[in-house]
Amino acid sequence: MSTLRFHAIKESLTRKPVRIEENERRSSIFGSNVFNEDTMRQFLTKEAFSSVMDAVQNGTKIDRVVADHISTGMKEWAISKGATHYTHWFQPLTGATAEKHDAFFEPIGNGRAIEKFGGGQLVQQEPDASSFPNGGIRNTFEARGYTAWDPTSPAFIYGTTLCIPTVFVSYTGEALDYKTPLLRALQAVDHAAVDVCKYFDKNVKKVNASLGWEQEYFLIDSSLVASRPDLVLTGRTLLGHSPAKGQQLDDHYFGTIPNRAMQYMRDLETECMLLGIPVKTRHNEVAPNQFELAPVYDEANLAVDHNSLLMDVMDKVAERHNFKVLFHEKPFAGVNGSGKHNNWSLSTDTGVNLLGPGKTPMSNLQFLTFFINTIKAVNDNEELLRAAIASASNDHRLGANEAPPAIISVFIGEQLTNVLNELEHVTNGKLSPEEKTDLKLNVVGKIPEILLDNTDRNRTSPFAFTGNKFEFRAVGSKANCANAMTVLNTIMANQLIEFKAEVDALIKKKDLKKDEAVFNILREYIKKSKNILFEGNGYGEAWEKEAKKRGLSNNKTTPEALKAKISDKTIKMFEQLGVMNKVEAEARYEIEMEEYVLRIQIEGRVLGDIARNHVVPTAVRYQNILIENVKGLKEIYGNDFKKYAQEQMQLIEDISKHIELINSNVTKMTNERKKANGIDDIEKKANAYCFKVKSIFDDIRYSCDKLELLVDDELWPLTKYRELLFTK
Ligand code: ADP
Ligand code: MG
């Protein structure tokens, strides 16, 4: 009997839900571990407080003397909440968050000690950066980078540690993390959008990008996960036959949340409340043991931090409930994968959502301006958007066996499609008074505040307009949203700058009124962006063919997709907007390509090991039992034995066939891996891993999965899909 598997199953079956008591109202504990506005008022001097607020709202620098005041207040607050340590919390390009804890405690001689935390320690730190990826920006022997306080994301206490959100940059100033380019992109879109807003409302001084992510994940019993080396080492199952019952019945999606999972969620949500993460929605997802969690949207930088923090917290809380969270985009073949929808919009400091239709024709013209500019931005940069969400794990969703596809398109719904069709026929140049009135009354003025057809959403679209926001659905569940948000806000900033220049030129050269010029430019944008608009089913060959005709990219693998990150066009745009320079863009490309190679390399090794050292020996063992059986039958029945041993003999042959295939394919894969490892050029290497190494995975898996069906269940060493997915 295969001990580990059955031990794990037995353990998972004895689990009881860990009861969670919620004694306090969520609203009263919300943000109580965050150094937020209320707390700052309490613990900071007036000067220190307004200095932080100024930094948050206007990006002004904080004076060193003031920083000392702030750090003192922060420390007092943290100690009053039981914190003993502080850390600069940041998001290096490894995907996980990083922290190094230092104690407030400091000896001052004579056997005495105090708690100390100065402005210098708040503002800047130097972590040992040599172990973080840098894409060749720093040589390891001069591995100096520093973290710097980001006051726009409030400090928080997790456990007994005061965590200070920071950016991570090299001493030469290049970004080494996710946050730095994001902050630059947010600033770029702020400036560009404010300039455009001025056409409609002179009072607008700041535009914030908002992000509301929806985190999908699997929750699997920790013993069961521990019994699967592939899940432990790669985050996904590299083999496993699909269960007799999958998600066909939709009974999980519409069913109640299982009790153990429910207790986990309540526990998690309490932690989120303390940390000021405004989680609001929880529900089952399509696949068994798959769930979703979503907060109320927030300013994009804060929302990105919250999502990174959330993923850490989810892991930690899961331990208490004997669960393991799977963030991988496709942990189980043939079962729905996980994504992280990024709901995105822009809003002004005057309280207007620029992607929400308004009450008056003028506010609707503003809405249409931002709406159509977004479509144009996506149209012109679809390949870069695809690159922003590329990863080895997300490749299993995009362009593989699941919607959304690797082709980026925009869904806007029937009503807005009609509006665009009308606007496309606006007269070139000056508009007659009748036409203007007609436009205002019958086109722009007729956009209802609530867009009805958005309840009937197209779930296969990677980028859909959903009433008052765009929903970027192709983002991976495991990804840091910063990648997608940096690109989306950058291309929007770029587009808005172009729009402003074109409108101004028309006003000046052709002597058009402002709204005439706006209508004229929008008309041209609609014409130019037709290829990206797609209302149909985005999943399948028909759309692939159609998309090809339209000239849209369809990069199914990460090595192909990532190229767009270092195209001349991209680098020029990033540089012009100050989001990333060439060195930074190229370093990131390098890091992501290397990460891709490493992931596939690890998967290859693990698969080879499981196939050869777990599956094949098990198959041989079972085959021996069959051989014994056949021998016995021969002993009893003599020459007649075949009559009774036919099935067993067929099985013996089938097993041999698959063992042979596994061995030859693993050998082939290992050889290809060795060849790939010898390649220096990262692009060629990634391609070799993608097209020569990874391509053999399916063949190995096929034989292993066949053997799973042939071999006695009692002998099978690997916990099966039905056990992983249906143990609650
Ligand atoms: P679903 O896509 O599952 O139907 P909802 O449409 O209710 O879910 O919202 C999903 C997410 O979108 C939530 O996190 C929500 O806060 C966020 N959201 C709602 N309005 C906006 C907005 N204007 N900008 C950004 N995100 C938003
Ligand atoms: Mg959604």
Side-chain angles (χ1 to χ4, degrees):
M1 198 198 251
S2 76
T3 14
L4 184 56
R5 171 175 159 223
F6 287 101
H7 177 76
I9 293 170
K10 206 172 144 197
E11 196 158 275
S12 73
L13 292 177
T14 61
R15 305 273 200 221
K16 295 269 176 304
V18 179
R19 295 265 160 232
I20 295 302
E21 304 288 335
E22 280 181 280
N23 300 322
E24 280 181 273
R25 278 183 181 220
R26 293 192 168 185
S27 57
S28 67
I29 58 168
F30 183 73
S32 60
N33 286 351
V34 181
F35 199 55
N36 54 23
E37 252 187 80
D38 281 350
T39 323
M40 279 197 280
R41 269 185 222 282
Q42 217 181 318
F43 283 85
L44 296 185
T45 59
K46 262 215 170 90
E47 192 197 2
F49 175 75
S50 54
S51 171
V52 177
M53 293 318 286
D54 211 27
V56 174
Q57 278 150 13
N58 310 316
T60 49
K61 281 225 154 39
I62 292 176
D63 185 76
R64 263 310 295 274
V65 181
V66 180
D68 275 331
H69 292 306
I70 299 169
S71 64
T72 307
M74 217 186 246
K75 179 193 70 187
E76 286 311 314
W77 168 73
I79 291 174
S80 77
K81 306 277 302 175
T84 54
H85 287 67
Y86 65 89
T87 184
H88 271 200
W89 182 83
F90 61 104
Q91 298 163 58
L93 296 164
T94 49
T97 58
E99 48 197 76
K100 175 186 138 231
H101 298 189
D102 284 299
F104 290 122
F105 165 86
E106 208 161 280
I108 51 166
N110 294 334
R112 291 190 303 143
I114 54 164
E115 260 82 32
K116 198 178 155 212
F117 179 56
Q121 287 149 310
L122 165 67
V123 173
Q124 192 169 320
Q125 294 269 311
E126 197 174 319
D128 175 19
S130 55
S131 47
F132 298 113
N134 60 73
I137 286 182
R138 297 166 294 119
N139 297 325
T140 35
F141 51 85
E142 46 167 345
R144 281 156 63 83
Y146 65 90
T147 50
W149 179 32
D150 166 22
T152 61
S153 181
F156 56 90
I157 294 170
Y158 191 57
T160 51
T161 303
L162 167 67
C163 301
I164 298 148
T166 54
V167 294
F168 180 37
V169 290
S170 76
Y171 260 92
T172 38
E174 278 89 12
L176 295 172
D177 67 350
Y178 282 112
K179 192 193 265 273
T180 309
L182 174 66
L183 288 173
R184 294 175 186 155
L186 292 173
Q187 191 171 39
V189 83
D190 171 16
H191 292 166
V194 166
D195 284 349
V196 171
C197 282
K198 292 254 151 76
Y199 288 138
F200 307 97
D201 180 359
K202 292 260 184 291
N203 296 318
V204 174
K205 290 197 184 61
K206 187 167 168 66
V207 169
N208 271 322
S210 305
L211 165 64
W213 39 261
E214 302 165 59
Q215 180 70 55
E216 293 182 342
Y217 61 100
F218 279 85
L219 206 51
I220 309 289
D221 185 89
S222 53
S223 297
L224 298 179
V225 171
S227 72
R228 291 280 314 216
D230 47 357
L231 273 180
V232 172
L233 296 169
T234 71
R236 74 174 178 113
T237 54
L238 297 171
L239 43 85
H241 203 279
S242 38
K245 173 178 184 282
Q247 60 200 42
Q248 315 89 323
L249 298 175
D250 272 341
D251 48 355
H252 178 64
Y253 193 73
F254 295 111
T256 53
I257 299 176
N259 211 342
R260 263 182 84 196
M262 183 60 128
Q263 297 305 320
Y264 166 75
M265 290 177 188
R266 293 178 61 203
D267 201 359
L268 173 64
E269 284 163 7
T270 303
E271 294 284 352
C272 288
M273 286 299 112
L274 294 171
L275 291 164
I277 305 172
V279 292
K280 197 166 162 68
T281 312
R282 61 176 173 216
H283 58 81
N284 292 343
E285 258 305 323
V286 178
N289 282 346
Q290 190 189 27
F291 305 95
E292 183 187 293
L293 171 79
V296 177
Y297 66 96
D298 229 320
E299 186 279 320
N301 175 41
L302 185 61
V304 167
D305 280 1
H306 278 165
N307 183 250
S308 295
L309 178 58
L310 172 92
M311 292 203 279
D312 283 351
V313 176
M314 284 176 80
D315 275 340
K316 287 184 182 146
V317 174
E319 281 173 25
R320 298 205 277 267
H321 295 258
N322 302 302
F323 276 128
K324 187 92 189 132
V325 183
L326 306 183
F327 287 111
H328 194 287
E329 283 80 359
K330 197 78 179 173
F332 305 101
V335 172
N336 193 55
S338 301
K340 178 151 50 199
H341 296 177
N342 276 206
N343 294 272
W344 170 86
S345 65
L346 295 171
S347 63
T348 66
D349 56 349
T350 53
V352 176
N353 174 2
L354 295 167
L355 289 171
K359 287 199 176 76
T360 63
M362 202 55 183
S363 65
N364 272 340
L365 186 55
Q366 174 168 277
F367 157 67
L368 283 171
T369 296
F370 282 88
F371 176 70
I372 293 167
N373 269 288
T374 310
I375 296 170
K376 173 84 166 24
V378 176
N379 180 72
D380 294 359
N381 298 282
E382 44 92 9
E383 204 162 7
L384 179 58
L385 264 184
R386 164 66 181 103
I389 48 168
S391 70
S393 50
N394 210 15
D395 280 358
H396 292 282
R397 275 172 79 224
L398 311 178
N401 300 308
E402 197 166 323
I407 308 158
I408 301 291
S409 64
V410 181
F411 171 88
I412 59 171
E414 198 186 317
Q415 283 174 293
L416 287 166
T417 302
N418 293 339
V419 172
L420 296 200
N421 287 341
E422 298 262 5
L423 289 180
E424 201 187 330
H425 298 105
V426 166
T427 304
N428 201 342
K430 283 201 185 301
L431 311 184
S432 68
E434 295 77 36
E435 186 175 7
K436 271 194 190 176
T437 313
D438 182 51
L439 275 173
K440 279 185 184 155
L441 285 181
N442 296 323
V443 183
V444 181
K446 279 243 170 93
I447 302 172
E449 265 189 277
I450 308 293
L451 289 155
L452 287 177
D453 60 340
N454 286 295
T455 48
D456 172 31
R457 294 177 198 176
N458 183 331
R459 290 276 160 194
T460 57
S461 175
F463 200 92
F465 185 71
T466 48
N468 61 356
K469 61 191 188 284
F470 278 96
E471 188 168 338
F472 191 11
R473 299 214 187 96
V475 184
S477 48
K478 218 175 100 182
N480 187 315
C481 309
N483 221 335
M485 281 296 112
T486 300
V487 167
L488 184 54
N489 288 295
T490 302
I491 64 175
M492 189 61 175
N494 187 56
Q495 178 54 50
L496 290 171
I497 290 168
E498 188 182 302
F499 174 76
K500 173 91 175 29
E502 291 187 75
V503 170
D504 284 351
L506 276 193
I507 294 173
K508 215 168 153 193
K509 286 193 206 124
K510 295 246 168 98
D511 196 27
L512 295 191
K513 290 257 164 42
K514 184 184 65 196
D515 49 352
E516 281 174 336
V518 168
F519 275 122
N520 268 277
I521 299 298
L522 292 182
R523 180 195 61 234
E524 293 310 301
Y525 283 1
I526 293 167
K527 284 186 191 160
K528 284 180 192 157
S529 306
K530 287 211 157 147
N531 281 336
I532 203 76
L533 293 176
F534 180 58
E535 302 287 299
N537 184 355
Y539 176 51
E541 264 173 49
W543 171 229
E544 288 200 45
K545 264 198 189 150
E546 161 76 13
K548 194 169 177 188
K549 260 197 247 157
R550 295 188 186 190
L552 297 175
S553 71
N554 185 5
N555 294 324
K556 295 196 177 192
T557 68
T558 294
E560 293 165 289
L562 284 180
K563 275 190 212 158
K565 284 201 167 183
I566 46 160
S567 70
D568 291 343
K569 182 179 149 193
T570 301
I571 289 181
K572 196 171 146 216
M573 175 168 64
F574 279 156
E575 284 198 321
Q576 272 175 355
L577 291 166
V579 174
M580 274 193 260
N581 62 30
K582 190 160 191 257
V583 176
E584 291 172 312
E586 284 175 348
R588 249 146 241 264
Y589 170 77
E590 187 106 5
I591 290 168
E592 288 181 39
M593 290 288 262
E594 258 161 25
E595 157 115 13
Y596 178 83
V597 166
L598 284 177
R599 296 272 170 212
I600 307 294
Q601 189 179 52
I602 293 169
E603 288 192 351
R605 286 187 187 138
V606 174
L607 180 58
D609 169 54
I610 296 179
R612 267 216 175 115
N613 304 325
H614 298 234
V615 173
V616 169
T618 306
V620 169
R621 226 189 310 159
Y622 182 54
Q623 198 182 38
N624 283 339
I625 295 175
L626 292 171
I627 291 169
E628 282 305 309
N629 176 266
V630 173
K631 276 190 194 158
L633 289 170
K634 196 170 177 187
E635 230 174 85
I636 301 172
Y637 295 104
N639 283 345
D640 259 359
F641 84 102
K642 279 201 182 156
K643 217 163 90 189
Y644 308 104
Q646 212 177 337
E647 292 291 331
Q648 292 88 317
M649 286 166 70
Q650 184 60 48
L651 261 175
I652 292 170
E653 282 172 37
D654 287 348
I655 290 174
S656 282
K657 192 180 79 194
H658 288 300
I659 290 176
E660 206 285 304
L661 278 172
I662 289 173
N663 277 324
S664 60
N665 279 321
V666 171
T667 304
K668 199 163 118 195
M669 176 186 67
T670 312
N671 288 337
E672 290 296 345
R673 223 169 53 224
K674 282 188 188 142
K675 271 198 248 168
N677 289 341
I679 303 173
D680 281 333
D681 180 87
I682 188 64
E683 192 181 323
K684 289 201 180 104
K685 190 173 188 166
N687 278 329
Y689 263 101
C690 183
F691 299 108
K692 294 275 164 66
V693 178
K694 197 184 114 207
S695 50
I696 307 174
F697 289 5
D698 280 349
D699 296 336
I700 299 172
R701 177 178 193 144
Y702 177 81
S703 294
C704 292
D705 289 356
K706 282 284 174 217
L707 285 174
E708 185 184 322
L709 291 185
L710 300 180
V711 170
D712 180 1
D713 183 61
E714 289 261 308
L715 295 178
W716 195 253
L718 295 157
T719 304
K720 295 186 172 179
Y721 266 32
R722 63 159 189 271
E723 292 145 1
L724 291 164
L725 288 166
F726 291 96
T727 307
K728 293 190 167 115

